[in-house]
Amino acid sequence: MIVGPIAHIDLGALRHNLAVCRAAAPSSRLWAVIKADAYGHGMGHCAAALEAADGFAVARVQEALGLRAIGIDKPLLVLEGAASEAELGAVLSLQVELTVHSSRQLDLIRTQLRANPPPRPQRIWLKLDTGMGRLGLQDAEAVALIERLRTRTSPLELAGIMTHLANADDPTHPMTAAQCEQARALAERFGLPLSIGNSAGILAHPAARSDWVRPGIMLYGGSPLLGQAAAALDLRPAMTLTSQLIAVRELPAGAAIGYGSTYRCPQPMRVGVVAIGYGDGYPRHAPTGTPVLIRGRRAALLGRVSMDMISVDLRQIPAATVGDPVTLWGQGLPVEEVAEQVGTINYELLCRIANRVRLVYDEQAPGGRL
């Protein structure tokens, strides 16, 4: 047996979660968001499993290039758009749809297309800032760009308007309705398709179920809503992160564990050492008490997380022995629960999985990490 952490990826769970999304927004077309190596799940395999989506959305040009390189020919949307002439030169010939969130980006695209006219119009989405305060055009800027595009002959095709929700994870937050209303008003004014809904918007805000939606975390079985468990939303975890016990220690009362000696045994204790640490993407700041699963029972993290190892309390699992599998999150231990203990969100835990963690799929599919 090769010792070390494994992220087991359930491709059937991805397809199930996609179906949940379709059921929640049956009139919407769907960009499956597979940025950040499909939230740590392996972009190539996930793209294959999510073939039923209408297209894929990524954050950056490099991700789109990687997908095209492994033969993914579905529509692709680059959410950050292109930042430079070099990126545009690499991507324009691939018929990738680009987000435009500034007039500078539009000017870059126009310059490139004049120099290298495309065989088909380049599709662009104008991003409207309705309150996220990150990327996006103000209403007046968006109107001016739309009018520019409509009054000139251009190798550009305006695919639609998009915006991003700032507080959709809170179903009661009033800002979400205002953001949806602002974006919809502009799209309707010019008769353009609209893309609003992220995972939380799709599940909790009917106004966000727009012409195109962009589910991310829900596809991987993570809850996008505050205080709501993924299972209650009929979402199945796609990743189960496991490792093994590599040592079982009998430590006396008062013995210190880990760097900084932050934990001392209150009594004689059986303590297990698990082959996982922050070098694998497990969060270094996980506190004592963070749960893991061993033999179907919960055990608590003890002391500080090391680069390659953690220590766990085996007092309630007397039969635990070297070689036993340990679940860090996934089946039987929701990633949201671990994230809450750690003081972060499920997105971060899934995305931070390191390259030395093996991804093992329940089905064969092309690609993997890109």
Side-chain angles (χ1 to χ4, degrees):
M1 177 180 68
I2 298 175
V3 174
I6 298 172
H8 301 267
I9 310 299
D10 181 352
L11 299 178
L14 289 172
R15 288 189 286 268
H16 168 84
N17 297 333
L18 178 65
V20 171
C21 180
R22 289 281 194 203
S27 300
S28 302
R29 300 184 74 188
L30 189 151
W31 295 108
V33 180
I34 57 173
K35 62 182 181 177
D37 200 27
Y39 291 43
H41 292 67
M43 191 181 286
H45 283 82
C46 291
L50 295 169
E51 173 64 22
D54 298 293
F56 298 124
V58 296
R60 298 171 182 164
V61 164
Q62 180 182 2
E63 295 172 320
L65 295 175
L67 286 169
R68 287 289 189 249
I70 63 169
I72 301 299
D73 59 4
K74 291 183 77 68
L76 297 181
L77 171 64
V78 180
L79 294 168
E80 291 179 6
S84 67
E85 291 183 7
E87 285 195 337
L88 281 170
V91 82
L92 285 177
S93 63
L94 299 180
Q95 291 300 303
V96 170
E97 301 186 24
L98 296 172
T99 300
V100 169
H101 52 77
S102 71
S103 57
R104 172 187 172 276
Q105 281 186 314
L106 185 60
D107 291 339
L108 276 174
I109 295 171
R110 283 183 176 280
T111 299
Q112 283 282 336
L113 293 181
R114 280 197 296 267
N116 301 285
R120 290 176 290 179
Q122 172 63 46
R123 286 172 60 84
I124 61 171
W125 288 78
L126 292 188
K127 184 164 190 176
L128 190 66
D129 180 6
T130 58
M132 183 70 179
R134 200 172 57 181
L135 297 177
L137 302 157
Q138 300 302 311
D139 267 21
E141 295 175 292
V143 168
L145 290 186
I146 293 169
E147 290 177 344
R148 276 177 62 190
L149 289 167
R150 290 195 162 180
T151 56
R152 300 181 186 180
T153 301
S154 172
L156 291 171
E157 178 184 345
L158 183 52
I161 299 290
M162 73 164 61
T163 197
H164 193 55
L165 300 174
N167 297 282
D169 58 345
D170 178 358
T172 67
H173 201 290
M175 186 175 177
T176 302
Q179 286 191 267
C180 292
E181 182 179 353
Q182 181 182 345
R184 192 170 298 279
L186 185 66
E188 289 179 352
R189 173 178 173 182
F190 290 99
L192 291 168
L194 179 62
S195 177
I196 301 177
N198 55 5
S199 292
I202 292 162
L203 292 175
H205 303 277
R209 297 165 193 158
S210 44
D211 300 301
W212 284 83
V213 292
R214 308 186 305 274
I217 191 67
M218 69 179 293
L219 296 176
Y220 308 99
S223 172
L225 300 175
L226 296 175
Q228 294 198 40
L233 300 169
D234 193 24
L235 299 174
R236 300 178 186 170
M239 177 193 291
T240 297
L241 179 64
T242 68
S243 191
Q244 307 88 34
L245 284 174
I246 58 171
V248 174
R249 308 286 311 285
E250 300 285 350
L251 297 180
I257 294 176
Y259 288 113
S261 303
T262 60
Y263 183 86
R264 289 187 178 272
C265 299
Q267 61 189 81
M269 290 177 61
R270 292 186 85 232
V271 173
V273 180
V274 185
I276 195 163
Y278 63 79
D280 305 294
Y282 192 82
R284 183 181 181 276
H285 58 288
T288 290
T290 301
V292 303
L293 281 183
I294 303 172
R295 296 194 171 207
R297 302 183 66 180
R298 292 187 175 220
L301 174 72
L302 301 175
R304 288 185 183 166
V305 174
S306 301
M307 183 181 290
D308 312 299
M309 290 170 279
I310 61 173
S311 295
V312 296
D313 185 350
L314 296 180
R315 283 177 292 179
Q316 303 304 313
I317 315 173
T321 189
V322 170
D324 278 355
V326 180
T327 297
L328 289 311
W329 62 70
Q331 288 290 341
L333 182 59
V335 67
E336 290 82 20
E337 183 177 343
V338 179
E340 184 176 0
Q341 286 276 330
V342 173
T344 185
I345 55 176
N346 49 11
Y347 300 75
E348 183 181 8
L349 293 184
L350 297 174
C351 288
R352 70 189 300 166
I353 294 298
N355 282 335
R356 73 173 181 173
V357 175
R358 289 180 291 152
L359 301 184
V360 175
Y361 297 88
D362 63 350
E363 302 169 22
Q364 292 300 314
R369 296 182 191 266
L370 291 179

